Amino acid sequence: MHVLLVTPPMTQLNTPYPATAYLTGFLRAHAGPLGVTVSQADASLALFLRLFSAPELERMAGVLETRSRRRNREPMPASIAQFLEHAPRYVATVEPVIRFLQGRDSSLALRIVGRELLPEGPRFAFLAQAAAAGDDPLAAAFGSLGTTDQARYLASLYVDDLADAWRDGIDPRFELARYGERLAASAPSFDPLEEALLGEPTLVDEALDEIARELIGEHRPAVVGLSVPFPGNVYGAFRMARAMRAAAPNAKLVLGGGWVNTELRALREPRVFDYFDYVTLDDGERPLLNLLARLEGRGAKLVRTYVRQDAGVTLETDPAQHDFAARDTGIPTYDGLRLTEYVSVLEMLNPMHRLWSDGRWNKITLAHGCYWKKCTFCDVSLDYIGRYDRPSTDVVMTRIRALIAETGQTGFHLVDEAAPPAGMRALAKRLLEERLSITWWGNIRFEKTFTPELCDLLARSGCVAVSGGLEVASDRLLALMKKGVTVAQVARVTRAFTDAGIMVHAYLMYGFPSETVQETVDALERVRQLFEAGCIQSAYWHRFSATAHSPIGLHPEQYGITLKPPPNIAFAHNDVAFEDPVGTDHDFLGFGLRKALYNYMHGAGLDADVRSWFDAPSKRPPRQRRAAVPRTTVAPDLIARALAE
Ligand code: SF4
């Protein structure tokens, strides 16, 4: 029996999403005795490469030109007008540019930075505006030496212009890192998704249908597993399943992955099974192995697997069966993925964002789940956070060596929810003892275990960056969210990382239950001081949302909020709407927070009163805006004093 594991579109383009690599390694280690063979494919990369090819751009130009003529050339979005005006140049340059972004034609850099080769659309407009104001952001970011980086940045803007044209002109659901996301994120009803699936196909749909049929022809699978990490992969997964079912009616189709694990826990919608035969919850290893054994006629019981029964949906599970321990899940393998074809875009000049979108990273975990598992906004009741299981450092080292041997790459991204400090220390020591040179980074909790001595050890072993949650930079709210850290402690820990030469990115949050305007302003002041003191180099504000499986979603009364009555949920369920009697206008504050952060990351505005960021364009009259944003109550030397302690 042959199993094909697929990542549906869209995910990041610079490196494979790891789920199929993990499952392929696992099945090759455990499913051989069943006579199972396994291959994997990244349909996200395949779709991108197809849409960004000369023939598909020609098709897009034809469709848009015909539509424009039919509408008597009435005004159109700037992205489409730009594309149509320069379509032959886009068609001529797209494939060389993609090869350049794949690292397969570096000589093109000199022509790209000459600014004559590529058509420059709306995404380049800010460069012209800056030039008119006497600024040169490219020179500021890359100097005179960074030709390749500068060319990659310009080529990425060019790709963004084309992605905008695909979205505005052909398929409003298409984006570079997500596809049809709104149809699936916390969607209580299946209707909008099915309507889209049954509607007139766009050129993007047709390309994806074609890719699905090609995969069936190439791999001839008896079973296809589609792993859906995010809402932005769901439409693509269902679309591919439909095309695959038509091409191979006897193949069994299985849906699983991170989105299923969080959002389909209350699945009641039988129409899902028009597309898939099985839907598995939580780690896929055990459910998939048992399902394959069942399909091979071994009489195995299903584990955490939804099936259609009569006109309804049943979750079949055998409580006697356990998940595999993290040490026994095998060695992840990228075998079968086209590693040389991934595309490194460079969209942000921020160095931490570059790590996410730039370069090929082998993905590895030090442990399953989170060792802390207490944060009240987090899905701690679900298996992927709540079941902590750390394999030995021997196992981790074996996997690292195997991935280096397979890929030739020594860059590793630890994809732990929060990497355990003990595991990081042990890994660093072994890397140094065995003189294995790798570059690695990952997500942590800013806890006090990270002393200057440990940070130094991590840096010497190849750790180059960490990210972690400072969330709302307020000790009252950090305690309410059971983060287990204080602002002063985060200042000392992040400074220790920075002093060791490890870049630090902080996840920030606003809109937490009971958060007042004063607390938001004070949190921004603390963040300002952290940037000023060189503790953090990069950060991002997330708007808080309550989720169904977090302590806040499960016990809202303990946080002073009331959940709004839920809709009738038959399909996806994750975010829950709530009322907060404090009534802070978080929408208004969010704009100022993001603007401040953008400037701080570029080293600008660090001496400005934090209130000034909230004087942004707003529908409110200026006096009301000023009145809504009070002066900070934080001492100007708060972080400096914390660091001196
Ligand atoms: S937010 Fe992070 S540290 Fe907190 S429980 Fe979740 S994974 Fe763990």
Side-chain angles (χ1 to χ4, degrees):
M1 184 194 310
H2 187 69
V3 178
L4 171 64
L5 300 172
V6 179
T7 304
M10 294 295 295
T11 56
Q12 61 183 134
L13 299 167
N14 58 310
T15 199
Y17 193 78
T20 63
Y22 276 57
L23 283 174
T24 301
F26 168 79
L27 289 177
R28 286 189 178 165
H30 291 270
L34 296 173
V36 168
T37 53
V38 194
S39 57
Q40 59 185 325
D42 186 343
S44 185
L45 179 70
L47 180 63
F48 171 81
L49 294 178
R50 188 144 315 181
L51 296 181
F52 288 72
S53 68
E56 286 297 319
L57 289 195
E58 271 176 346
R59 286 181 77 193
M60 172 158 75
V63 168
L64 295 178
E65 187 56 49
T66 308
R67 192 188 302 160
S68 158
R69 268 199 306 273
R70 233 187 273 137
R71 293 183 185 166
N72 218 5
R73 301 199 179 273
E74 64 190 35
M76 57 185 92
S79 55
I80 303 177
Q82 161 74 16
F83 175 70
L84 282 180
E85 190 183 341
H86 301 280
R89 280 181 72 198
Y90 279 111
V91 170
T93 49
V94 68
E95 291 179 5
V97 167
I98 297 301
R99 274 201 302 279
F100 170 71
L101 288 173
Q102 288 171 326
R104 301 203 286 176
D105 188 2
S106 55
S107 61
L108 202 66
L110 287 166
R111 292 207 58 203
I112 292 174
V113 297
R115 308 279 299 272
E116 294 292 330
L117 178 71
L118 304 183
E120 299 191 351
R123 294 285 189 143
F124 290 76
F126 78 98
L127 290 175
Q129 284 159 8
D135 291 337
D136 186 350
L138 293 177
F142 304 108
S144 56
L145 293 177
T147 304
T148 302
D149 273 358
Q150 189 174 331
R152 285 181 41 227
Y153 181 63
L154 293 167
S156 301
L157 294 177
Y158 164 98
V159 166
D160 285 339
D161 270 333
L162 281 175
D164 291 347
W166 276 111
R167 185 197 60 218
D168 297 342
I170 301 294
D171 190 333
R173 298 169 298 224
F174 179 77
E175 292 179 63
L176 280 183
R178 54 185 76 91
Y179 184 26
E181 182 180 54
R182 290 210 188 117
L183 298 166
S186 300
S189 164
F190 189 61
D191 291 348
L193 180 59
E194 181 152 85
E195 254 170 55
L197 289 162
L198 299 180
E200 186 70 24
T202 66
L203 286 186
V204 181
D205 290 331
E206 286 172 6
L208 185 55
D209 291 348
E210 208 170 77
I211 288 167
R213 287 191 292 270
E214 286 169 8
L215 286 174
I216 291 290
E218 184 186 341
H219 296 268
R220 308 232 160 258
V223 177
V224 183
L226 287 119
S227 183
V228 177
F230 308 113
N233 303 91
V234 176
Y235 175 76
F238 278 79
R239 177 118 222 138
M240 292 190 79
R242 197 171 90 132
M244 287 175 158
R245 173 141 286 170
N250 293 328
K252 298 294 180 197
L253 297 168
V254 189
L255 177 69
W259 174 80
V260 176
N261 303 345
T262 49
E263 302 226 8
L264 289 194
R265 305 201 81 90
L267 180 64
R268 290 189 291 112
E269 176 55 77
R271 286 177 292 169
V272 167
F273 296 89
D274 295 342
Y275 299 81
F276 292 95
D277 299 284
Y278 304 96
V279 178
T280 66
L281 281 181
D282 298 332
D283 284 10
E285 284 85 353
R286 170 60 77 188
L288 208 45
L289 189 64
N290 278 38
L291 172 59
L292 295 174
R294 159 89 65 102
L295 294 174
E296 276 292 317
R298 306 285 179 106
K301 292 189 174 166
L302 295 184
V303 175
R304 298 190 306 269
T305 303
Y306 287 110
V307 293
R308 175 150 52 187
Q309 196 171 50
D310 304 323
V313 179
T314 307
L315 181 66
E316 283 195 26
T317 196
D318 177 4
Q321 305 259 348
H322 296 292
D323 281 300
F324 283 78
R327 65 170 182 272
D328 296 328
T329 52
I331 296 175
T333 174
Y334 293 106
D335 181 35
L337 298 179
R338 298 175 180 171
L339 296 182
T340 56
E341 295 185 8
Y342 283 84
V343 176
S344 276
V345 290
L346 207 169
E347 287 174 326
M348 296 274 293
L349 299 179
N350 175 279
M352 192 73 194
H353 283 105
R354 281 192 62 175
L355 286 180
W356 276 296
S357 62
D358 191 7
R360 265 266 307 114
W361 297 98
N362 294 318
K363 309 268 184 176
I364 192 110
T365 46
L366 293 185
H368 180 284
C370 172
Y371 68 99
W372 176 251
K373 54 185 169 187
K374 290 183 191 169
C375 302
T376 57
F377 58 85
C378 181
D379 286 344
V380 294
S381 69
L382 297 185
D383 182 81
Y384 80 98
I385 301 286
R387 182 167 61 82
Y388 180 62
D389 174 14
R390 185 183 142 210
S392 70
T393 306
D394 281 346
V395 170
V396 176
M397 288 295 287
T398 302
R399 290 172 181 168
I400 287 175
R401 286 192 182 280
L403 283 167
I404 293 173
E406 178 180 276
T407 65
Q409 304 275 348
T410 56
F412 283 82
H413 177 192
L414 303 187
V415 290
D416 293 70
E417 300 299 332
M424 292 170 74
R425 180 187 285 277
L427 173 65
K429 280 184 166 171
R430 285 289 292 278
L431 289 169
L432 290 167
E433 279 164 19
E434 297 182 21
R435 296 178 188 274
L436 182 60
S437 291
I438 69 168
T439 304
W440 60 282
W441 58 288
N443 196 43
I444 60 161
R445 205 169 60 88
F446 291 130
E447 62 160 86
K448 55 179 181 291
T449 318
F450 290 107
T451 58
E453 175 269 324
L454 176 54
C455 294
D456 183 56
L457 175 75
L458 300 178
R460 282 189 287 115
S461 76
C463 177
V464 292
V466 290
S467 56
L470 171 55
E471 322 302 354
V472 183
S474 145
D475 285 347
R476 180 185 84 82
L477 292 168
L478 284 167
L480 190 59
M481 60 179 71
K482 295 201 178 130
K483 192 75 200 176
V485 301
T486 63
V487 174
Q489 179 186 317
V490 172
R492 287 189 285 271
V493 166
T494 52
R495 183 55 184 270
F497 276 112
T498 302
D499 287 347
I502 296 173
M503 189 173 17
V504 181
H505 173 90
Y507 293 107
L508 303 169
M509 186 187 282
Y510 69 102
F512 196 77
S514 75
E515 182 174 345
T516 63
V517 177
Q518 185 69 61
E519 283 173 324
T520 304
V521 171
D522 288 350
L524 178 58
E525 170 61 15
R526 295 184 189 101
V527 169
R528 184 195 70 76
Q529 292 186 27
L530 286 167
F531 270 98
E532 195 176 46
C535 295
I536 57 180
Q537 293 78 48
S538 170
Y540 188 83
W541 293 103
H542 297 261
R543 173 80 184 262
F544 167 80
S545 60
T547 61
H549 313 293
S550 65
I552 294 176
L554 293 168
H555 308 288
E557 70 291 345
Q558 294 175 11
Y559 303 89
I561 58 171
T562 318
L563 299 190
K564 293 187 181 166
N568 182 18
I569 296 155
F571 185 49
H573 179 46
N574 191 33
D575 291 354
V576 286
F578 66 92
E579 304 269 9
D580 184 343
V582 173
T584 303
D585 186 349
H586 299 296
D587 289 338
F588 165 67
L589 293 167
F591 184 81
L593 292 174
R594 287 190 293 276
K595 191 172 171 198
L597 209 51
Y598 179 84
N599 280 276
Y600 296 165
M601 286 196 288
H602 289 84
L606 285 163
D607 50 359
D609 183 328
V610 290
R611 286 178 300 170
S612 62
W613 303 109
F614 301 103
D615 282 342
S618 160
K619 291 186 188 119
R620 294 160 183 249
R623 189 180 304 163
Q624 208 182 326
R625 268 186 265 150
R626 180 58 89 177
V629 182
R631 181 187 299 276
T632 181
T633 63
V634 174
D637 59 350
L638 178 96
I639 297 298
R641 275 192 287 118
L643 292 174
E645 272 171 30

